[in-house]
Amino acid sequence: MILRNFIVLEGIDGAGTSTQLDILKNTAGTEKFLFTAEPSPSPVGKFLRTMLKGDVPVSNETAAYIFAADRNEHVNGKMLVDGDRHLVTGISEACSMGHTVVSDRYFFSSLAYQSIQCRPEVPRILNSLFPLPELLVYFDISPEKSLERIGGRGQREIYENLDFLKKTAAQYEKVVEEYSSPEKSQGMEILRVDATKSKEDVASLIHEKIRSMGIKIG
């Protein structure tokens, strides 16, 4: 099932998804847009972020279940907006009310990251009932380049090392290829961008694609 008015930005750590979400948020004409990220800003998502820092060690399969639980509340929970168009939970409700929701990551991240460390069928089963976005933007970047960008952040999360990023990039390629087929995409559009381009060039490509879908911005 396609969830209309839902846009997802995906890519390995350091690809620039958060930067592009911020640029879109500050673009004129996006007043009816809502912006969010996964892990979500909900209490479950906040727990996940402590886990990603390595503060709360759990098994890989347990992590997959927690990510799915957070995502369920993020998508199917009651619509809650915190601050300046910051969507905490309720993606489905927000989209049904005419908002365009842009999320930094979605279940494609789970299929890429968690398929490496636990049985691949676990994240697939856990995420099989979530709706597809209307648009998936995939940020294509080499693990080496992404790690250069991550290096300037300070503390790294548990997944932010070159060996793991290489494996994740390979899994992302498989996931994007899989969902490019008509039977899997179900009409979802995929925009692949070269994430090594300037942030202005990447933003221009994304904004042009959104406009081509009939969503007004700028």
Side-chain angles (χ1 to χ4, degrees), residues 18-208:
S18 299
T19 296
Q20 290 303 321
L21 185 142
D22 288 340
I23 290 174
L24 190 56
K25 186 174 183 179
N26 290 301
T27 299
T30 61
E31 289 77 11
K32 288 206 69 176
F33 283 51
L34 294 174
F35 300 89
T36 191
E38 292 194 348
S40 79
S42 75
V44 179
K46 289 177 181 177
F47 170 78
L48 265 175
R49 292 189 184 277
T50 64
M51 187 196 78
L52 289 172
K53 292 177 183 176
D55 296 341
V56 185
V58 298
S59 73
N60 296 319
E61 293 199 356
T62 296
Y65 277 89
I66 299 171
F67 271 100
D70 178 49
R71 185 164 296 123
N72 186 67
E73 193 66 17
H74 199 202
V75 174
N76 298 316
K78 182 176 177 59
M79 179 178 161
L80 175 62
V81 180
D82 179 17
D84 181 23
R85 295 176 293 157
H86 186 211
L87 184 67
V88 179
T89 54
I91 292 173
S92 289
E93 182 180 352
C95 290
S96 70
M97 293 176 65
H99 293 284
T100 296
V101 176
V102 183
S103 181
D104 180 0
R105 298 193 179 284
Y106 189 44
F107 73 73
F108 307 99
S109 290
S110 287
L111 299 184
Y113 280 79
Q114 290 154 10
S115 293
I116 297 169
Q117 293 189 315
C118 63
R119 292 173 295 161
E121 65 269 23
V122 172
R124 288 191 171 275
I125 292 170
L126 290 173
N127 291 281
S128 61
L129 297 180
F130 292 116
L132 292 167
E134 188 170 3
L135 173 63
L136 166 62
V137 182
Y138 176 60
F139 290 62
D140 188 7
I141 191 172
S142 73
E144 291 81 4
K145 183 64 175 178
S146 71
L147 203 58
E148 281 181 30
R149 294 180 176 179
I150 293 169
R153 294 181 184 171
Q155 183 180 6
R156 293 183 181 178
E157 294 184 344
I158 58 175
Y159 298 139
E160 294 176 345
N161 63 79
L162 184 57
D163 180 62
F164 192 84
L165 286 175
K166 284 181 176 179
K167 293 176 181 177
T168 307
Q171 285 297 121
Y172 256 125
E173 288 293 337
K174 293 179 181 178
V175 171
V176 172
E177 181 179 357
E178 176 186 352
Y179 278 87
S180 296
S181 67
E183 58 270 19
K184 288 291 289 188
S185 70
Q186 301 179 44
M188 175 184 70
E189 295 196 50
I190 299 177
L191 172 65
R192 188 183 187 115
V193 297
D194 180 354
T196 65
K197 290 181 178 293
S198 71
K199 61 183 181 181
E200 293 81 10
D201 286 345
V202 173
S204 179
L205 289 169
I206 294 172
H207 297 182
E208 181 181 347

